[in-house]
Amino acid sequence: MKNRIIDVSVGTRRADAAAVKADLLAVGVFEDGPCCAAAASVNKTLGGPLKRLKQLGDFEGKAQTSAMVYTDGKIAASRVLFVGLGPRDKTDVQTLFKAAALAAHQAVDRKAKTLGLLLYCAQGKAAPVSLEQAGQAIAEGIGFGAYRYDEYIEQAAKKRASKLTATILTAEAKTAVALKKGAAIGAITAAAQSYARTMANRPANVITPATLAAEAKKLAASIPSLRCSVLEQKQLSAKKMGGILAVGQGSANPPRLIVLEYKPAGASAKTPVIGLVGKAITFDSGGISLKPGQGMEDMKFDKSGGIAVLGAMRAIAHLEPHVNVIGLIPAAENMPSGASYRPGDIVTTYSGKTVEIQNTDAEGRMILCDAIAYAKTLGCRTIVDMATLTGACVVAVGAKRAGLMGNDESLIEQLKAASVKTGERLWHLPCDDEFVEAMKSKIADLKNVGGKWGGACTAAAFLSQFAQGAKWAHIDMAGVGVWGADEKQAPGSIGFGVRLLTEFIRAQGK
Ligand code: BES
Ligand code: ZN
Ligand code: ZN
């Protein structure tokens, strides 16, 4: 029997922080002192521990540091966690997201059931972050930090609280309104991100193309503005989706193409349609071009792009921006067997273009090319795809950033803007004709591997050939999908891309 993932609720309250009963009260501290008058007053009521912490060198308000203090009945909360915010003049949404995440992470570690957060109350033109943005970032950070993946650990729920009730605090009524508005948005994106993390963390014997499709249907059934249809193997064959079929043919778990449609109320024929495409290889063994055994277990995360789209569609459908969005998730398991596709095969893709297979491990592009071409037939003029596509991308930009490529400067800029807001970092890489050349085959239109160099760029250049006629961007999240988590986070998926895609879509719908 599976345990339930911790249930997080986020509220906002105008209150005197010292009077708030909580198992843990997180109080923001900049390098130059408490974040606001209310935070300073908590410190004073406790007898001024911040001064001593600083003298001892134990805590100086640096970002990503904290100090726990026991309150001995001096205030209503049982513990205070001073959370470092770094230099005051460098505050941005990331500062608040990370501080809230750190507080929530510690709260769950201490089995706290209630968490109060007093992290930000700057207002007016000089404020570095608007209160609404602050509310959103704090709510998202709470969800991120509280997350644990323990559904298969016996009695996990007994080792931690099953629910965390978090309350963002502020001393003033007028700040509370804006914080609350942002927190309501953040609670939605945070829940979608946690949902995505769980889906990505589930192993390949649990998440197959078919069970992933069933999860997508279940999700759509729970949100009125979301619809889900699934192309099964028969329909994929009828539509001649040769790429998805080729990759899936070696597995006992047949492939699917999951299509999620979000339509806002009052959408007309003129409302633009944006396609979000995500690679969902539920397990990437490499196929006949088998991967080495070491670390192969991480290839359950090869569905992370598809899961990011699934999570984003959930958030988008709840937030209801005024733009049509179609999420397309090609799902397949890449396995070696007597039925597998092989090196040397020539595959006819949905677009009609033929591809010479040189390496069955370059399977992501083979399922994405069909989904991208199909998105165009569904009316998508703008398409963004996300995929754990190449090890080369991790070599190029590391495991904390995703590669960003595409055929339209303004789309690239819009994605960069969304990325700055959510802190899911992107780095622009080229995929122009020079790389397209490397993907040409002597016996087919294209081949599925390029030369030795620029593997992330040649993979994107391959995809670009199926996106012609649409504005298209590609996010290679190989590093962040598989190895993105750091020591301070729950191991496994970080749900990269959910907030990024949601923010990008929200900006379109404004
Ligand atoms: N899923 C992998 C890419 C990957 C590698 C993701 C490491 C996360 C971490 C992808 O399907 C793959 O195997 N790509 C090959 C392409 C090559 C054969 C051209 C790669 O990167 O080696
Ligand atoms: Zn592969
Ligand atoms: Zn793969």
Side-chain angles (χ1 to χ4, degrees):
M1 185 60 187
K2 277 185 299 190
N3 291 305
R4 285 175 60 96
I5 295 299
I6 191 163
D7 176 15
V8 184
S9 79
V10 181
T12 314
R13 230 176 101 192
R14 189 203 65 79
D16 171 9
V20 171
K21 276 196 194 138
D23 296 327
L24 188 78
L25 175 66
V27 175
V29 182
F30 287 108
E31 287 174 12
D32 68 2
C35 68
C36 58
S41 139
V42 168
N43 179 48
K44 199 172 164 202
T45 313
L46 292 174
L50 279 176
K51 193 176 170 192
R52 196 149 30 96
L53 284 165
K54 195 168 184 170
Q55 278 166 352
L56 290 168
D58 284 6
F59 176 74
E60 299 171 314
K62 294 220 156 47
Q64 294 299 284
T65 65
S66 64
M68 184 80 82
V69 167
Y70 295 89
T71 59
D72 302 327
K74 287 180 191 133
I75 65 171
S78 13
R79 311 174 183 90
V80 164
L81 184 73
F82 289 111
V83 183
L85 297 170
R88 194 179 291 264
D89 60 355
K90 291 225 172 83
T91 315
D92 60 14
V93 282
Q94 270 314 291
T95 313
L96 302 174
F97 176 91
K98 287 188 172 163
L102 196 150
H105 195 92
Q106 296 242 2
V108 172
D109 276 353
R110 314 261 163 171
K111 299 195 183 73
K113 292 194 175 87
T114 49
L115 167 67
L117 301 103
L118 186 64
L119 296 177
Y120 192 76
C121 32
Q123 46 180 315
K125 282 205 181 106
V129 179
S130 77
L131 283 164
E132 190 177 327
Q133 278 187 322
Q136 183 179 343
I138 293 169
E140 289 176 348
I142 293 166
F144 190 83
Y147 181 83
R148 299 288 186 281
Y149 183 68
D150 54 12
E151 63 176 344
Y152 288 101
I153 295 174
E154 213 186 339
Q155 309 215 319
K158 283 188 191 155
K159 291 180 198 143
R160 59 159 169 79
S162 59
K163 185 169 165 45
L164 178 69
T165 304
T167 310
I168 303 172
L169 302 169
T170 172
E172 287 174 63
K174 56 177 181 197
T175 45
V177 178
L179 274 174
K180 190 176 199 132
K181 201 171 159 206
I185 296 166
I188 289 170
T189 46
Q193 184 169 28
S194 293
Y195 165 75
R197 292 172 85 176
T198 296
M199 289 301 150
N201 284 331
R202 285 185 181 164
N205 59 334
V206 174
I207 297 290
T208 63
T211 60
L212 183 60
E215 287 290 347
K217 285 205 160 167
K218 195 163 112 190
L219 177 69
S222 73
I223 313 173
S225 60
L226 202 58
R227 214 163 271 188
C228 178
S229 55
V230 175
L231 303 186
E232 304 200 352
Q233 205 157 10
K234 246 195 201 156
Q235 293 139 307
L236 293 170
S237 300
K239 288 198 155 44
K240 301 200 168 84
M241 298 217 175
I244 300 175
L245 287 164
V247 174
Q249 75 189 39
S251 169
N253 299 306
R256 297 283 189 270
L257 176 58
I258 302 164
V259 182
L260 285 156
E261 280 179 85
Y262 161 72
K263 264 201 178 69
S268 75
K270 281 190 194 147
T271 315
V273 188
I274 301 179
L276 301 178
V277 177
K279 168 181 172 180
I281 292 295
T282 56
F283 188 71
D284 184 8
S285 69
I288 297 296
S289 313
L290 194 65
K291 285 183 182 294
Q294 194 175 15
M296 203 201 269
E297 65 275 14
D298 282 345
M299 284 303 136
K300 71 170 183 175
F301 294 118
D302 209 25
K303 58 189 181 298
S304 299
I307 301 286
V309 169
L310 183 65
M313 291 305 288
R314 169 178 158 150
I316 290 162
H318 281 304
L319 293 168
E320 305 188 322
H322 198 74
V323 53
N324 290 301
V325 188
I326 304 181
L328 298 104
I329 307 172
E333 188 179 38
N334 190 21
M335 295 293 265
S337 80
S340 299
Y341 80 136
R342 332 149 181 78
D345 284 5
I346 296 177
V347 172
T348 304
T349 64
Y350 177 67
S351 69
K353 286 189 164 67
T354 54
V355 181
E356 178 197 353
I357 303 302
Q358 290 193 333
N359 189 321
T360 62
D361 198 10
E363 82 299 335
R365 61 199 77 182
M366 296 307 297
I367 66 169
L368 289 170
C369 70
D370 280 357
I372 290 169
Y374 187 55
K376 290 198 291 191
T377 70
L378 297 180
C380 300
R381 293 296 176 81
T382 301
I383 299 170
V384 178
D385 81 74
M386 269 222 169
T388 48
L389 204 61
T390 66
C393 190
V394 199
V395 174
V397 303
K400 302 280 174 212
R401 277 186 175 79
L404 170 65
M405 285 140 274
N407 64 10
D408 184 84
E409 273 309 312
S410 79
L411 181 57
I412 296 283
E413 288 310 316
Q414 288 161 22
L415 285 160
K416 278 191 191 166
S419 145
V420 167
K421 284 201 180 149
T422 68
E424 293 157 288
R425 289 185 291 172
L426 300 175
W427 198 264
H428 191 189
L429 299 170
C431 66
D432 50 58
D433 290 349
E434 173 193 342
F435 298 104
V436 177
E437 256 344 279
M439 300 309 292
K440 298 224 164 116
S441 162
K442 292 200 169 72
I443 55 168
D445 297 326
L446 295 162
K447 52 185 180 173
N448 79 332
V449 283
K452 191 171 176 188
W453 311 112
C457 306
T458 48
F462 176 93
L463 295 178
S464 75
Q465 300 307 293
F466 299 85
Q468 286 156 337
K471 292 182 181 177
W472 159 81
H474 159 65
I475 297 171
D476 191 335
M477 55 174 291
V480 283
V482 179
W483 302 301
D486 66 35
E487 327 72 55
K488 283 187 179 142
Q489 298 159 355
S493 167
I494 56 169
F496 184 94
V498 173
R499 290 180 301 118
L500 177 68
L501 291 176
T502 305
E503 181 57 44
F504 163 72
I505 294 292
R506 282 185 68 221
Q508 306 288 312
K510 268 179 190 155

